[in-house]
Amino acid sequence: LHHNSQNKISKFFFYNIYSIIASEMTVATKTQTIISFLFNTQEQLYLRVELIWNNKNVDLSLAAFMQFLYQHEDHLSKSESEFCYALARLVKKVDFKGNLIYAIPNDYDMALFFKRAMHANLSVLWRDHNDDIRPISFDDPLPITILVKQKGPRLCCELINREEWIKNPLMWLRFQDDKHNYYFSKGVIKRGIKRGFENFIDKFLDKDQLYYGGDHILAFINQLYTPNKQVIQWKIQVDFLSFLPKETTPVGVLKIGYTPPILTSNLFFRYENAEIAPDFKEKTVLDKRTGKKHQRMMDMESIYQQDLMSLFEEFNLPFLLQSPGDIAKFMDKVMPTLKDRGWIVKSDVPEFNVLEDPVELEFSIGSSDKNWFHFEPNCNVSGQNMSLQEVAALMVQNQGYVKTSNGFAKISERSQKELAALTKMGALKTGKEFSRAEILPLIAASNARGTNENSTNIVEQLNNSDPSKGTFAGKSFKGELRDYQQFGLNWMGFLAQSGLGGILADDMGLGKTCQTIALSTTLKGEGPVLVVGPTNVIYNWESEIKKFAPSLTSIVYTGAGREKKIKKLPFTNFVITTYGILKNDLEVFTNLKPKAIFIDEAQYIKNPKAQISKAIKCIESPFKVAMTGTPVENHLQDLWNLFDFAMPGYLGTLKQFDMDVKDGHLDVLRMKIKPFVLRREKREVLTSLPEKTEITLKCPLSDEQEQLYKTVLTATRKGIREGGKQNKLNMLTALLKLRQVCIHPGLLKEFEGSNIPSSKFELVKEKLTELVAEKHKIVIFTQFTKMLDIMQKWLKKEGIYNERIDGSVSAKARKTAIDRFQESEKAGVFLVSLKAGGVGINLTAADYVIHLDPWWNPAVEAQATDRVHRMGQLNKVIVYKMISEGTIEEKIQELQDEKRALLSQVIDIDSSNAKAIDIDEVRSLLFD
């Protein structure tokens, strides 16, 4: 707040600003941002913010606001969405006179608000103290009037309504971010007022009149008045020319002519009524109409020349304009820019008229029958029917412009991208037809409409994103779906009705099981629903089916004597089995003919060469869904194999897929994948989920531990030779030993039972003692079952309640241990082997997670953490990651950072830099 008269403020000021977001995409709805300036009794300024959506207040708490934006993202333009996300970061909950309000509490963030509003080109309204609403201007002069008159040989400046300006802080508020100053005055906002001019205005705080005489008059005119003519309102009652030499600021003049095929642009400078060319020799210009001579301003003429040249460079234009695209761009970009900058532009070239608004192309889709679709060859451009192939060629030739009978039309950036993508996909080829699966990504990637009932239906179905419409669970479903789960049901229902499959890739803990059970109650046809997963999830499926669809039957097909159940399988609603049993009893399932197949923890079939992958693909079903929170762990090929199960052949052969990735055709892959992968993260949809805090605890090795680590590392480096399988084995073995030393030297066979202390173990014991004393429940993950033995031995010695899951524990025993831990009122520890317990368990009774050692892929760690941080968790979750300082564990953590974005890269396919742990990475860990 820049105002020196704050001591005169004796009451609260409450003024409203309305920021109205009205998007081209938003027809029936409006978002209003209501902002109020508040001064508290300590004269601190607040900018109060309220958000109105369809005349209803929006909760501006971060979680609620994020949920609101997610639900309405399709109704907001990109600039509106960016503005709202910026607003979410700026607004804070503050205490104002005993009331909690949402406001922007500091000047810097207020400046950012106005910056975002200007950048988003929002229409802003202001309610004054008379309750009148009038628009805020970002361009008009500030409503501050300076009267300039002559008193003797001096200029005299007076501030009109000075008393109001002093007493009313909203006459002159200043906000500043890192680059710009923003000034607010009674409904007008200006950016970038120079400090010298601000100082000039501030002088009126102390003086009624300011005087300038002698050389200061010229400085006033040139430095204060001239550059700030448009900043405030001036009332000039003096002839400046009587004080100045006859020096006139020129105006740039550009005269446009056309002599086919060249467009000419000639530069002139106008001094009042006289025009001269840049090569004019004299230093003064005679205005023949008035007889006045004007002193030439060579620096200004040079600025005009540079201004014109820089625009040619900015828009990549040659100085000789003869290509239609270059001419159109010049008329569309350069000429309006010059006019905005105060140039005089004269043109008599109407045939190169450029239409003001960019043109959005609409692509038409037809169908030959229910399952085959094609793009119509023509589109409408500014009232003119044109071939899409012709439009594509003209856009390349004319840099995005297409010449029509009405003038040059600029194809919008969005339509250019859509057309380029469709061209790359072969959609514009004559006679090219697409299957139902192939046409969906093309519809999703373009502004398409159907031309007959069949094509119109599929367009409308894909574009229908209203969670309240679509597929509804059957009467046998007894659960209540959240909005995002209903959306998932709609999505799967659409795929099932279309005879397609998909990948449900929601985060761990978002209820993928619940969504698929709900879908099962809607499926028609004979045969059961087949559910396949790892051993540790099958009994969870059985209990979830009993919970959400108690009237439906299910059979868990596993264990000894399972062959006795074979005859019952076709007559039950759900058949639940493991990947291993399916592979061994494949004939049973190929004869089953299920109406749907759901594979849970689908990353188990990520390897296309594995027998499990080959077996699951042998079973035919009209609808298949792969369910996984980690659709990609290390390779993009993981995703290909999931698609090869859900939609065989859709992404081509694995070799073709690899070539597309290698050749960088990721935009095409993104288009093809997008409609068939549904990925939501917890932070997007679970606004009620408690906060999760991740803390990395680094501890130095003990002296003996460090000596042992160095000994192993030195021996490793000496023993590794270049090349050969044995070399790779040596490196992996050495890496394992180094990691074991980091967590506990007793994990090494050579030092089993030794008394070499482990700093990490000592720190964990200290943490556990403290947390158990505070009545917390803790889940500990490690990759080494032997470390579980060491931990469990200590826990029993200390009398601390504990449970344990590792690869040796059966599915039923797992469930029993989980139930005991969840229901127990005692504080305690659950020991979990990372790979055995990273999926298929729910441990929301705990509120602390400890990872004893880092794993290569952060997705695996995150998946494990999500056993605790998931739906049903009521407490804030603290995650400790234990890292031995100065060791290979730190390098593994750095490698995690490289891989953290892999999932989003695949689903959005932004980058081909997906990496797997390979021998070169192992080598770098050991030697770098």
Short mmCIF file of all heavy atoms in Angstrom, two decimals, residues 470-482 484-493 496-497 504 511-524 529 531 541 544-550 552 574 595-596 598 623 625 627:
data_model
loop_
_atom_site.label_atom_id
_atom_site.label_comp_id
_atom_site.label_asym_id
_atom_site.label_seq_id
_atom_site.Cartn_x
_atom_site.Cartn_y
_atom_site.Cartn_z
N GLY A 470 -25.59 -40.90 -18.08
CA GLY A 470 -24.85 -42.03 -18.62
C GLY A 470 -25.31 -43.33 -18.03
O GLY A 470 -26.49 -43.69 -18.10
N THR A 471 -24.40 -44.07 -17.41
CA THR A 471 -24.68 -45.41 -16.91
C THR A 471 -25.03 -45.35 -15.42
O THR A 471 -24.36 -44.67 -14.66
CB THR A 471 -23.45 -46.31 -17.10
OG1 THR A 471 -23.10 -46.33 -18.49
CG2 THR A 471 -23.74 -47.73 -16.65
N PHE A 472 -26.06 -46.06 -15.04
CA PHE A 472 -26.45 -46.11 -13.63
C PHE A 472 -26.34 -47.54 -13.14
O PHE A 472 -26.69 -48.49 -13.84
CB PHE A 472 -27.88 -45.59 -13.44
CG PHE A 472 -28.02 -44.12 -13.74
CD1 PHE A 472 -28.46 -43.71 -14.98
CD2 PHE A 472 -27.69 -43.18 -12.78
CE1 PHE A 472 -28.57 -42.36 -15.28
CE2 PHE A 472 -27.80 -41.83 -13.06
CZ PHE A 472 -28.24 -41.42 -14.31
N ALA A 473 -25.81 -47.69 -11.93
CA ALA A 473 -25.64 -49.02 -11.35
C ALA A 473 -26.99 -49.72 -11.23
O ALA A 473 -28.04 -49.08 -11.07
CB ALA A 473 -24.98 -48.92 -9.98
N GLY A 474 -26.95 -51.06 -11.34
CA GLY A 474 -28.17 -51.84 -11.23
C GLY A 474 -28.72 -51.87 -9.81
O GLY A 474 -28.08 -51.43 -8.85
N LYS A 475 -29.92 -52.41 -9.68
CA LYS A 475 -30.58 -52.45 -8.38
C LYS A 475 -29.81 -53.31 -7.37
O LYS A 475 -29.94 -53.11 -6.16
CB LYS A 475 -32.00 -52.99 -8.53
CG LYS A 475 -32.92 -52.06 -9.31
CD LYS A 475 -34.32 -52.63 -9.40
CE LYS A 475 -35.25 -51.69 -10.18
NZ LYS A 475 -36.63 -52.25 -10.29
N SER A 476 -29.02 -54.23 -7.85
CA SER A 476 -28.27 -55.10 -6.94
C SER A 476 -27.07 -54.40 -6.32
O SER A 476 -26.47 -54.93 -5.39
CB SER A 476 -27.80 -56.36 -7.67
OG SER A 476 -27.04 -56.01 -8.82
N PHE A 477 -26.74 -53.23 -6.82
CA PHE A 477 -25.61 -52.48 -6.25
C PHE A 477 -26.10 -51.66 -5.06
O PHE A 477 -27.03 -50.85 -5.18
CB PHE A 477 -24.99 -51.56 -7.30
CG PHE A 477 -23.78 -50.81 -6.81
CD1 PHE A 477 -22.56 -51.46 -6.68
CD2 PHE A 477 -23.85 -49.47 -6.45
CE1 PHE A 477 -21.44 -50.79 -6.21
CE2 PHE A 477 -22.74 -48.79 -5.99
CZ PHE A 477 -21.52 -49.45 -5.87
N LYS A 478 -25.48 -51.83 -3.89
CA LYS A 478 -25.95 -51.20 -2.66
C LYS A 478 -25.01 -50.09 -2.15
O LYS A 478 -25.19 -49.61 -1.04
CB LYS A 478 -26.12 -52.25 -1.57
CG LYS A 478 -27.12 -53.34 -1.93
CD LYS A 478 -28.49 -52.77 -2.31
CE LYS A 478 -29.46 -53.86 -2.69
NZ LYS A 478 -30.77 -53.29 -3.14
N GLY A 479 -24.06 -49.72 -2.94
CA GLY A 479 -23.15 -48.66 -2.51
C GLY A 479 -23.60 -47.29 -2.98
O GLY A 479 -24.59 -47.15 -3.70
N GLU A 480 -22.88 -46.28 -2.56
CA GLU A 480 -23.12 -44.91 -2.99
C GLU A 480 -21.84 -44.38 -3.64
O GLU A 480 -20.80 -44.30 -2.98
CB GLU A 480 -23.52 -44.02 -1.81
CG GLU A 480 -23.90 -42.61 -2.24
CD GLU A 480 -24.42 -41.79 -1.08
OE1 GLU A 480 -24.84 -42.38 -0.06
OE2 GLU A 480 -24.40 -40.54 -1.18
N LEU A 481 -21.93 -44.05 -4.92
CA LEU A 481 -20.74 -43.64 -5.67
C LEU A 481 -20.48 -42.14 -5.51
O LEU A 481 -21.43 -41.34 -5.54
CB LEU A 481 -20.91 -43.96 -7.16
CG LEU A 481 -21.07 -45.43 -7.52
CD1 LEU A 481 -21.33 -45.59 -9.01
CD2 LEU A 481 -19.84 -46.22 -7.11
N ARG A 482 -19.22 -41.80 -5.34
CA ARG A 482 -18.84 -40.39 -5.41
C ARG A 482 -18.95 -39.92 -6.85
O ARG A 482 -19.05 -40.73 -7.78
CB ARG A 482 -17.40 -40.22 -4.91
CG ARG A 482 -17.21 -40.59 -3.45
CD ARG A 482 -15.73 -40.63 -3.09
NE ARG A 482 -15.54 -41.00 -1.69
CZ ARG A 482 -15.04 -40.19 -0.77
NH1 ARG A 482 -14.67 -38.97 -1.10
NH2 ARG A 482 -14.88 -40.58 0.47
N TYR A 484 -16.75 -38.65 -8.93
CA TYR A 484 -15.71 -39.13 -9.84
C TYR A 484 -15.88 -40.63 -10.12
O TYR A 484 -15.53 -41.12 -11.20
CB TYR A 484 -14.31 -38.82 -9.29
CG TYR A 484 -13.86 -39.70 -8.16
CD1 TYR A 484 -13.20 -40.89 -8.40
CD2 TYR A 484 -14.08 -39.34 -6.83
CE1 TYR A 484 -12.78 -41.71 -7.36
CE2 TYR A 484 -13.67 -40.15 -5.79
CZ TYR A 484 -13.02 -41.33 -6.05
OH TYR A 484 -12.60 -42.13 -5.03
N GLN A 485 -16.44 -41.38 -9.14
CA GLN A 485 -16.69 -42.80 -9.37
C GLN A 485 -17.85 -43.00 -10.34
O GLN A 485 -17.84 -43.91 -11.17
CB GLN A 485 -16.97 -43.49 -8.04
CG GLN A 485 -15.75 -43.56 -7.13
CD GLN A 485 -16.08 -44.08 -5.74
OE1 GLN A 485 -17.19 -43.88 -5.25
NE2 GLN A 485 -15.11 -44.73 -5.10
N GLN A 486 -18.87 -42.13 -10.24
CA GLN A 486 -19.97 -42.18 -11.20
C GLN A 486 -19.46 -41.87 -12.60
O GLN A 486 -19.88 -42.48 -13.59
CB GLN A 486 -21.07 -41.19 -10.81
CG GLN A 486 -22.25 -41.12 -11.79
CD GLN A 486 -22.99 -42.44 -11.89
OE1 GLN A 486 -23.39 -43.02 -10.89
NE2 GLN A 486 -23.19 -42.91 -13.11
N PHE A 487 -18.53 -40.92 -12.68
CA PHE A 487 -17.92 -40.61 -13.97
C PHE A 487 -17.20 -41.85 -14.52
O PHE A 487 -17.28 -42.17 -15.71
CB PHE A 487 -16.94 -39.45 -13.83
CG PHE A 487 -16.33 -39.00 -15.13
CD1 PHE A 487 -16.89 -37.96 -15.84
CD2 PHE A 487 -15.19 -39.61 -15.63
CE1 PHE A 487 -16.34 -37.55 -17.04
CE2 PHE A 487 -14.62 -39.21 -16.82
CZ PHE A 487 -15.20 -38.17 -17.54
N GLY A 488 -16.47 -42.55 -13.64
CA GLY A 488 -15.79 -43.77 -14.06
C GLY A 488 -16.77 -44.83 -14.52
O GLY A 488 -16.52 -45.55 -15.51
N LEU A 489 -17.92 -44.93 -13.85
CA LEU A 489 -18.96 -45.87 -14.27
C LEU A 489 -19.50 -45.49 -15.65
O LEU A 489 -19.69 -46.35 -16.52
CB LEU A 489 -20.08 -45.89 -13.23
CG LEU A 489 -21.31 -46.75 -13.55
CD1 LEU A 489 -20.91 -48.20 -13.78
CD2 LEU A 489 -22.34 -46.65 -12.44
N ASN A 490 -19.74 -44.19 -15.85
CA ASN A 490 -20.21 -43.73 -17.17
C ASN A 490 -19.21 -44.10 -18.26
O ASN A 490 -19.57 -44.56 -19.35
CB ASN A 490 -20.40 -42.21 -17.17
CG ASN A 490 -21.53 -41.77 -16.27
OD1 ASN A 490 -22.34 -42.58 -15.84
ND2 ASN A 490 -21.59 -40.49 -15.97
N TRP A 491 -17.93 -43.86 -17.95
CA TRP A 491 -16.87 -44.11 -18.93
C TRP A 491 -16.80 -45.59 -19.30
O TRP A 491 -16.79 -45.96 -20.48
CB TRP A 491 -15.55 -43.62 -18.34
CG TRP A 491 -14.34 -43.93 -19.15
CD1 TRP A 491 -13.93 -43.32 -20.30
CD2 TRP A 491 -13.35 -44.93 -18.86
NE1 TRP A 491 -12.75 -43.88 -20.73
CE2 TRP A 491 -12.38 -44.87 -19.87
CE3 TRP A 491 -13.20 -45.86 -17.83
CZ2 TRP A 491 -11.27 -45.71 -19.89
CZ3 TRP A 491 -12.11 -46.70 -17.84
CH2 TRP A 491 -11.16 -46.62 -18.87
N MET A 492 -16.79 -46.46 -18.28
CA MET A 492 -16.74 -47.89 -18.58
C MET A 492 -18.02 -48.36 -19.25
O MET A 492 -17.98 -49.23 -20.13
CB MET A 492 -16.50 -48.66 -17.28
CG MET A 492 -15.09 -48.53 -16.73
SD MET A 492 -14.73 -49.63 -15.34
CE MET A 492 -15.70 -48.84 -14.05
N GLY A 493 -19.15 -47.77 -18.85
CA GLY A 493 -20.42 -48.15 -19.49
C GLY A 493 -20.42 -47.83 -20.96
O GLY A 493 -20.90 -48.61 -21.79
N ALA A 496 -18.24 -50.37 -22.70
CA ALA A 496 -18.90 -51.67 -22.78
C ALA A 496 -19.98 -51.66 -23.86
O ALA A 496 -20.09 -52.61 -24.65
CB ALA A 496 -19.50 -52.03 -21.42
N GLN A 497 -20.76 -50.60 -23.91
CA GLN A 497 -21.81 -50.50 -24.93
C GLN A 497 -21.23 -50.43 -26.34
O GLN A 497 -21.86 -50.84 -27.30
CB GLN A 497 -22.67 -49.26 -24.67
CG GLN A 497 -23.48 -49.32 -23.40
CD GLN A 497 -24.06 -47.98 -23.01
OE1 GLN A 497 -24.20 -47.09 -23.86
NE2 GLN A 497 -24.39 -47.82 -21.74
N LEU A 504 -8.45 -48.67 -16.35
CA LEU A 504 -8.86 -47.84 -15.22
C LEU A 504 -7.61 -47.65 -14.36
O LEU A 504 -7.20 -48.55 -13.62
CB LEU A 504 -9.98 -48.50 -14.43
CG LEU A 504 -10.54 -47.70 -13.24
CD1 LEU A 504 -11.04 -46.34 -13.68
CD2 LEU A 504 -11.66 -48.48 -12.56
N GLY A 511 -11.05 -46.42 -5.18
CA GLY A 511 -12.25 -47.24 -5.33
C GLY A 511 -12.42 -47.85 -6.71
O GLY A 511 -13.55 -47.89 -7.22
N LYS A 512 -11.35 -48.35 -7.31
CA LYS A 512 -11.49 -49.01 -8.62
C LYS A 512 -12.37 -50.25 -8.51
O LYS A 512 -13.18 -50.53 -9.39
CB LYS A 512 -10.11 -49.37 -9.17
CG LYS A 512 -9.23 -48.18 -9.48
CD LYS A 512 -7.95 -48.58 -10.21
CE LYS A 512 -6.97 -49.29 -9.31
NZ LYS A 512 -6.41 -48.41 -8.26
N THR A 513 -12.22 -50.98 -7.41
CA THR A 513 -13.03 -52.19 -7.21
C THR A 513 -14.51 -51.84 -7.14
O THR A 513 -15.35 -52.47 -7.78
CB THR A 513 -12.60 -52.89 -5.91
OG1 THR A 513 -11.20 -53.16 -5.97
CG2 THR A 513 -13.35 -54.19 -5.73
N CYS A 514 -14.83 -50.80 -6.38
CA CYS A 514 -16.23 -50.37 -6.23
C CYS A 514 -16.82 -49.99 -7.58
O CYS A 514 -17.95 -50.35 -7.91
CB CYS A 514 -16.26 -49.19 -5.25
SG CYS A 514 -17.87 -48.41 -5.11
N GLN A 515 -16.06 -49.26 -8.39
CA GLN A 515 -16.55 -48.81 -9.70
C GLN A 515 -16.84 -49.99 -10.62
O GLN A 515 -17.85 -50.02 -11.33
CB GLN A 515 -15.54 -47.87 -10.36
CG GLN A 515 -15.34 -46.56 -9.61
CD GLN A 515 -14.25 -45.70 -10.22
OE1 GLN A 515 -14.33 -45.28 -11.36
NE2 GLN A 515 -13.20 -45.45 -9.44
N THR A 516 -15.94 -50.98 -10.62
CA THR A 516 -16.14 -52.11 -11.52
C THR A 516 -17.27 -53.03 -11.05
O THR A 516 -17.99 -53.61 -11.87
CB THR A 516 -14.83 -52.91 -11.66
OG1 THR A 516 -14.27 -53.15 -10.37
CG2 THR A 516 -13.82 -52.15 -12.48
N ILE A 517 -17.45 -53.15 -9.73
CA ILE A 517 -18.59 -53.93 -9.23
C ILE A 517 -19.89 -53.24 -9.65
O ILE A 517 -20.85 -53.90 -10.08
CB ILE A 517 -18.51 -54.09 -7.70
CG1 ILE A 517 -17.33 -54.97 -7.32
CG2 ILE A 517 -19.81 -54.68 -7.16
CD1 ILE A 517 -17.08 -55.07 -5.82
N ALA A 518 -19.93 -51.92 -9.53
CA ALA A 518 -21.12 -51.17 -9.97
C ALA A 518 -21.38 -51.41 -11.44
O ALA A 518 -22.53 -51.60 -11.87
CB ALA A 518 -20.93 -49.69 -9.68
N LEU A 519 -20.33 -51.40 -12.26
CA LEU A 519 -20.51 -51.64 -13.69
C LEU A 519 -21.04 -53.05 -13.93
O LEU A 519 -21.90 -53.26 -14.80
CB LEU A 519 -19.18 -51.45 -14.42
CG LEU A 519 -19.26 -51.76 -15.92
CD1 LEU A 519 -19.98 -50.64 -16.64
CD2 LEU A 519 -17.89 -51.99 -16.52
N SER A 520 -20.55 -54.02 -13.18
CA SER A 520 -20.96 -55.42 -13.37
C SER A 520 -22.47 -55.58 -13.25
O SER A 520 -23.07 -56.42 -13.91
CB SER A 520 -20.25 -56.32 -12.37
OG SER A 520 -18.85 -56.23 -12.52
N THR A 521 -23.09 -54.75 -12.40
CA THR A 521 -24.54 -54.86 -12.19
C THR A 521 -25.32 -54.34 -13.38
O THR A 521 -26.54 -54.48 -13.42
CB THR A 521 -24.97 -54.11 -10.92
OG1 THR A 521 -24.70 -52.70 -11.09
CG2 THR A 521 -24.22 -54.62 -9.71
N THR A 522 -24.64 -53.72 -14.35
CA THR A 522 -25.32 -53.17 -15.53
C THR A 522 -25.12 -54.03 -16.77
O THR A 522 -25.78 -53.81 -17.78
CB THR A 522 -24.80 -51.76 -15.84
OG1 THR A 522 -23.46 -51.85 -16.37
CG2 THR A 522 -24.79 -50.88 -14.61
N LEU A 523 -24.19 -55.00 -16.70
CA LEU A 523 -23.83 -55.75 -17.90
C LEU A 523 -24.89 -56.79 -18.24
O LEU A 523 -25.38 -57.52 -17.37
CB LEU A 523 -22.48 -56.44 -17.70
CG LEU A 523 -21.27 -55.51 -17.48
CD1 LEU A 523 -20.02 -56.32 -17.20
CD2 LEU A 523 -21.07 -54.60 -18.68
N LYS A 524 -25.20 -56.88 -19.51
CA LYS A 524 -26.16 -57.87 -20.00
C LYS A 524 -25.40 -59.08 -20.53
O LYS A 524 -24.19 -59.05 -20.69
CB LYS A 524 -27.02 -57.27 -21.11
CG LYS A 524 -27.66 -55.93 -20.76
CD LYS A 524 -28.64 -56.06 -19.60
CE LYS A 524 -29.30 -54.71 -19.28
NZ LYS A 524 -30.17 -54.79 -18.09
N VAL A 529 -18.78 -62.66 -14.46
CA VAL A 529 -17.69 -61.68 -14.56
C VAL A 529 -16.45 -62.34 -13.98
O VAL A 529 -16.48 -62.86 -12.85
CB VAL A 529 -18.02 -60.39 -13.77
CG1 VAL A 529 -16.80 -59.48 -13.72
CG2 VAL A 529 -19.20 -59.68 -14.42
N VAL A 531 -12.78 -62.09 -12.49
CA VAL A 531 -11.86 -61.18 -11.82
C VAL A 531 -10.55 -61.92 -11.61
O VAL A 531 -10.54 -63.00 -11.01
CB VAL A 531 -12.41 -60.68 -10.48
CG1 VAL A 531 -11.40 -59.78 -9.79
CG2 VAL A 531 -13.73 -59.95 -10.68
N TRP A 541 -11.59 -58.84 -2.92
CA TRP A 541 -12.67 -58.78 -3.92
C TRP A 541 -13.92 -59.49 -3.40
O TRP A 541 -15.04 -58.98 -3.56
CB TRP A 541 -12.20 -59.43 -5.23
CG TRP A 541 -11.60 -58.47 -6.20
CD1 TRP A 541 -10.30 -58.15 -6.34
CD2 TRP A 541 -12.32 -57.69 -7.17
NE1 TRP A 541 -10.14 -57.21 -7.34
CE2 TRP A 541 -11.36 -56.91 -7.86
CE3 TRP A 541 -13.65 -57.56 -7.50
CZ2 TRP A 541 -11.70 -56.02 -8.86
CZ3 TRP A 541 -14.00 -56.68 -8.53
CH2 TRP A 541 -13.04 -55.92 -9.19
N GLU A 544 -15.57 -57.25 -0.89
CA GLU A 544 -16.13 -56.04 -1.52
C GLU A 544 -17.42 -56.37 -2.27
O GLU A 544 -18.37 -55.58 -2.27
CB GLU A 544 -15.11 -55.42 -2.47
CG GLU A 544 -13.90 -54.80 -1.79
CD GLU A 544 -14.24 -53.53 -1.03
OE1 GLU A 544 -14.36 -52.47 -1.65
OE2 GLU A 544 -14.43 -53.62 0.21
N ILE A 545 -17.47 -57.53 -2.93
CA ILE A 545 -18.69 -57.93 -3.63
C ILE A 545 -19.81 -58.15 -2.61
O ILE A 545 -20.96 -57.72 -2.84
CB ILE A 545 -18.43 -59.20 -4.46
CG1 ILE A 545 -17.49 -58.88 -5.63
CG2 ILE A 545 -19.75 -59.78 -4.98
CD1 ILE A 545 -16.96 -60.09 -6.35
N LYS A 546 -19.49 -58.78 -1.50
CA LYS A 546 -20.52 -58.98 -0.46
C LYS A 546 -21.00 -57.64 0.09
O LYS A 546 -22.17 -57.50 0.46
CB LYS A 546 -19.95 -59.84 0.66
CG LYS A 546 -19.74 -61.29 0.27
CD LYS A 546 -19.13 -62.08 1.43
CE LYS A 546 -18.89 -63.54 1.02
NZ LYS A 546 -18.25 -64.31 2.12
N LYS A 547 -20.12 -56.67 0.15
CA LYS A 547 -20.47 -55.36 0.71
C LYS A 547 -21.32 -54.56 -0.27
O LYS A 547 -22.34 -53.99 0.12
CB LYS A 547 -19.18 -54.60 1.03
CG LYS A 547 -19.40 -53.18 1.51
CD LYS A 547 -18.06 -52.49 1.78
CE LYS A 547 -18.25 -51.03 2.19
NZ LYS A 547 -16.95 -50.35 2.43
N PHE A 548 -20.90 -54.50 -1.54
CA PHE A 548 -21.56 -53.61 -2.50
C PHE A 548 -22.65 -54.31 -3.33
O PHE A 548 -23.51 -53.63 -3.88
CB PHE A 548 -20.53 -52.99 -3.45
CG PHE A 548 -19.62 -52.00 -2.79
CD1 PHE A 548 -18.28 -52.28 -2.61
CD2 PHE A 548 -20.11 -50.79 -2.33
CE1 PHE A 548 -17.43 -51.38 -1.99
CE2 PHE A 548 -19.28 -49.87 -1.71
CZ PHE A 548 -17.93 -50.17 -1.54
N ALA A 549 -22.60 -55.63 -3.45
CA ALA A 549 -23.62 -56.35 -4.21
C ALA A 549 -23.95 -57.65 -3.47
O ALA A 549 -23.67 -58.75 -3.95
CB ALA A 549 -23.12 -56.64 -5.63
N PRO A 550 -24.54 -57.54 -2.29
CA PRO A 550 -24.75 -58.71 -1.43
C PRO A 550 -25.66 -59.78 -2.06
O PRO A 550 -25.58 -60.94 -1.66
CB PRO A 550 -25.38 -58.11 -0.17
CG PRO A 550 -25.93 -56.78 -0.59
CD PRO A 550 -25.03 -56.29 -1.68
N LEU A 552 -25.53 -60.80 -5.12
CA LEU A 552 -24.83 -61.50 -6.18
C LEU A 552 -23.89 -62.55 -5.60
O LEU A 552 -23.36 -62.39 -4.50
CB LEU A 552 -24.04 -60.51 -7.05
CG LEU A 552 -24.86 -59.41 -7.72
CD1 LEU A 552 -23.97 -58.55 -8.62
CD2 LEU A 552 -26.01 -60.00 -8.53
N PHE A 574 -19.77 -63.84 -10.13
CA PHE A 574 -18.36 -63.46 -10.17
C PHE A 574 -17.50 -64.70 -9.95
O PHE A 574 -17.75 -65.48 -9.02
CB PHE A 574 -18.01 -62.44 -9.07
CG PHE A 574 -18.61 -61.09 -9.27
CD1 PHE A 574 -19.87 -60.79 -8.75
CD2 PHE A 574 -17.93 -60.10 -9.98
CE1 PHE A 574 -20.42 -59.54 -8.93
CE2 PHE A 574 -18.48 -58.84 -10.15
CZ PHE A 574 -19.73 -58.57 -9.63
N LYS A 595 -18.67 -62.73 -19.46
CA LYS A 595 -19.19 -61.55 -20.14
C LYS A 595 -18.32 -60.33 -19.92
O LYS A 595 -18.46 -59.31 -20.61
CB LYS A 595 -20.62 -61.26 -19.69
CG LYS A 595 -20.79 -60.95 -18.21
CD LYS A 595 -22.28 -60.76 -17.90
CE LYS A 595 -22.52 -60.59 -16.39
NZ LYS A 595 -23.97 -60.50 -16.08
N ALA A 596 -17.43 -60.40 -18.95
CA ALA A 596 -16.46 -59.31 -18.72
C ALA A 596 -15.27 -59.89 -17.96
O ALA A 596 -15.41 -60.85 -17.21
CB ALA A 596 -17.09 -58.17 -17.92
N PHE A 598 -12.10 -58.44 -15.53
CA PHE A 598 -11.39 -57.37 -14.83
C PHE A 598 -10.09 -57.95 -14.30
O PHE A 598 -10.10 -58.93 -13.54
CB PHE A 598 -12.20 -56.83 -13.65
CG PHE A 598 -13.54 -56.26 -14.05
CD1 PHE A 598 -14.68 -56.56 -13.31
CD2 PHE A 598 -13.67 -55.45 -15.16
CE1 PHE A 598 -15.91 -56.04 -13.67
CE2 PHE A 598 -14.90 -54.94 -15.53
CZ PHE A 598 -16.02 -55.23 -14.78
N PHE A 623 -15.94 -57.64 -23.10
CA PHE A 623 -15.53 -56.42 -22.39
C PHE A 623 -14.40 -56.75 -21.42
O PHE A 623 -14.51 -57.66 -20.60
CB PHE A 623 -16.71 -55.82 -21.62
CG PHE A 623 -16.38 -54.52 -20.92
CD1 PHE A 623 -15.86 -53.46 -21.62
CD2 PHE A 623 -16.60 -54.38 -19.56
CE1 PHE A 623 -15.54 -52.26 -20.99
CE2 PHE A 623 -16.29 -53.19 -18.92
CZ PHE A 623 -15.76 -52.13 -19.65
N VAL A 625 -11.31 -54.90 -18.84
CA VAL A 625 -10.77 -53.70 -18.19
C VAL A 625 -9.52 -54.11 -17.40
O VAL A 625 -9.56 -55.08 -16.63
CB VAL A 625 -11.79 -53.04 -17.25
CG1 VAL A 625 -11.12 -51.94 -16.42
CG2 VAL A 625 -12.93 -52.45 -18.04
N MET A 627 -7.05 -52.91 -14.49
CA MET A 627 -7.10 -51.98 -13.36
C MET A 627 -5.72 -51.91 -12.71
O MET A 627 -5.16 -52.92 -12.31
CB MET A 627 -8.13 -52.47 -12.33
CG MET A 627 -9.52 -52.64 -12.87
SD MET A 627 -10.53 -53.73 -11.84
CE MET A 627 -10.50 -52.84 -10.28
#
